[in-house]
Amino acid sequence: MTALARGGTYPLRIDKLGVVVAALGLSALAFQSFLIFRANRIVPGEAVPAWDAMGAGGVALYAGLGVALLVLLLKTPLAVRLAVSSLALVALALAVGIGSSALIPEGDTYARVSPGSGVWIMVFAFALALTDALARLRLGPFARVGILIAVALVLWGILASGLWDDLAVMREYQSRQSAFFAQLQIHLFLAFGAVTAAVVVGVPVGIVCYRIPRVRAGILGSLNVVQTVPSIALFGLLIAPMAWVGANIPGARELGIGGIGYAPAFLALFAYSLLPIVSNTVVGLDGVPRDANEAARGMGMTDSQRMTGVLLPLAFPVILTGIRIILVQNIGLAVIAGLIGGGGLGTFVFQGISQTAMPLVLLGAIPAVAMAFAAAIVLDAGVELSQGRQRARP
């Protein structure tokens, strides 16, 4: 009999991940700064506790976060853990905006307020609890995409309300708004364009490797060598060939192909993308059940008909998994393009590093991380849906 059936109290149990979350959160509450105030963007910052920025509201915030950490420390229902983690993250987002507005004097355009280390640690802790709850709930693909849309709407609402306008990263954005969207377009072109080109080239190459096994090892081995070259080194190695193309091929310079710029960055991302696409195409085609292939052959289908009508559709989930891998990879690697004049969000990252301006670094880094995270969720859902459709086929 349980303690509850005997009339006693239900024993409190500790959640293993909750111990980590509570330890991180409590250390942030007790020992780390909530906000960092700077008189301008380059001077050292001054740590500001939440109660100094928001008065009694700061004390209430810390008390509420402490209760949330206690709930996550114990074994509680997954729905409760999901709700508590979500509310804690929203409370932190609101408090950071309110606190930053309270600290900056009216009309001061030089002062900067950034989230302190305590905020970042607590965001990590509650996000860890949130993702753990979502994983253990085993939500379907539509539910996961729906949650992603809900998070995006909440963030859009906060940004549209102006609550974060006094944060340092938003002030950097306001002074570079037109440049930000121009570099964002370049970043999207580099990441998605390289993936598209890799799919157009890689899938046919994968089909060749599947049909002609004797060339498979040579092709995959060559592509594997490209993967072993460090990204910065590959970007640099391509500068000289691209400079020669721009100088000697008619029309290349007009297309923007030169020694530095987006051309070597695009080519490097394309080269990195080929191996996952080719190898996943081969693996997907090899994994098609022999019975399905033989049944199609028995129906009188030609080789091309079997490839397009049977083999590729059945291999599609594995190929899509490869696309997911390289898209998430390319969104991150495209940041390095800023180092060789290729543009993209990395432009702000490297400008911020050179100027020791962390808000400028975050202006480039946060959108890149958010795009990679969203792409992973959407393509994961696509892989799961494609696998479900295959299982539903007779």
Side-chain angles (χ1 to χ4, degrees):
M1 291 179 65
T2 64
L4 185 61
R6 293 194 301 267
T9 59
Y10 193 86
L12 297 177
R13 294 182 297 169
I14 303 298
D15 185 85
K16 293 180 180 178
L17 182 64
V19 174
V20 177
V21 172
L24 288 172
L26 291 175
S27 65
L29 290 175
F31 304 112
Q32 303 298 322
S33 59
F34 185 73
L35 294 173
I36 301 295
F37 176 82
R38 293 179 173 86
N40 56 62
R41 65 196 298 266
I42 60 174
V43 299
E46 174 188 352
V48 180
W51 44 86
D52 284 354
M54 298 185 295
V59 177
L61 172 69
Y62 270 39
L65 293 175
V67 172
L69 292 171
L70 178 61
V71 172
L72 296 174
L73 175 64
L74 303 175
K75 279 192 175 294
T76 48
L78 293 178
V80 173
R81 302 178 71 82
L82 180 63
V84 167
S85 303
S86 302
L87 290 174
L89 289 171
V90 172
L92 282 170
L94 297 177
V96 165
I98 295 171
S100 63
S101 298
L103 287 176
I104 294 184
E106 186 176 356
D108 189 339
T109 59
Y110 297 101
R112 297 289 189 268
V113 176
S114 303
S117 56
V119 171
W120 292 115
I121 294 174
M122 285 187 284
V123 167
F124 173 75
F126 287 116
L128 183 64
L130 177 65
T131 53
D132 175 67
L134 290 173
R136 289 158 63 182
L137 283 171
R138 300 183 182 276
L139 298 176
F142 289 112
R144 296 200 300 271
V145 174
I147 291 175
L148 176 64
I149 294 173
V151 171
L153 290 175
V154 170
L155 291 175
W156 178 84
I158 292 175
L159 291 171
S161 69
L163 183 64
W164 284 351
D165 283 356
D166 289 322
L167 284 174
V169 65
M170 292 304 299
R171 290 202 165 191
E172 297 290 350
Y173 163 76
Q174 291 159 8
S175 63
R176 294 171 171 81
Q177 187 169 353
S178 59
F180 175 82
F181 284 105
Q183 299 302 332
L184 178 62
Q185 291 177 359
I186 295 174
H187 199 98
L188 292 174
F189 166 74
L190 290 173
F192 287 84
V195 170
T196 303
V199 172
V200 171
V201 174
V203 172
V205 172
I207 294 173
V208 171
C209 292
Y210 168 74
R211 290 192 179 278
I212 312 175
R214 65 177 178 271
V215 306
R216 180 184 303 182
I219 292 176
L220 293 179
S222 301
L223 295 176
N224 196 39
V225 169
V226 176
Q227 289 284 337
T228 62
V229 179
S231 55
I232 295 180
L234 183 58
F235 279 48
L237 289 173
L238 290 171
I239 291 177
M242 290 295 100
W244 183 90
V245 171
N248 295 277
I249 303 299
R253 183 68 63 180
E254 287 71 18
L255 294 175
I257 299 175
I260 61 173
Y262 72 85
F266 184 91
L267 188 57
L269 294 175
F270 168 75
Y272 276 126
S273 303
L274 281 176
L275 179 63
I277 291 294
V278 174
S279 60
N280 277 48
T281 301
V282 175
V283 171
L285 293 173
D286 280 338
V288 174
R290 184 180 299 273
D291 292 344
N293 197 9
E294 293 301 326
R297 192 192 306 273
M299 293 173 61
M301 286 186 176
T302 63
D303 287 347
S304 60
Q305 288 173 333
R306 285 188 292 112
M307 180 60 66
T308 57
V310 177
L311 296 176
L312 283 177
L314 292 176
F316 178 73
V318 181
I319 297 173
L320 187 59
T321 301
I323 295 173
R324 173 200 174 277
I325 292 170
I326 62 172
L327 181 57
V328 174
Q329 169 188 282
N330 281 5
I331 291 173
L333 283 178
V335 172
I336 303 177
L339 196 59
I340 60 169
L345 296 173
T347 302
F348 303 114
V349 173
F350 293 109
Q351 284 179 359
I353 292 174
S354 65
Q355 300 172 17
T356 63
M358 185 54 63
L360 189 55
V361 174
L362 295 177
L363 181 62
I366 291 177
V369 172
M371 284 193 296
F373 187 73
I377 292 176
V378 172
L379 289 180
D380 273 339
V383 170
E384 190 170 331
L385 288 173
S386 63
Q387 291 173 338
R389 284 197 297 269
Q390 284 191 1
R391 288 193 293 267
R393 290 176 180 173

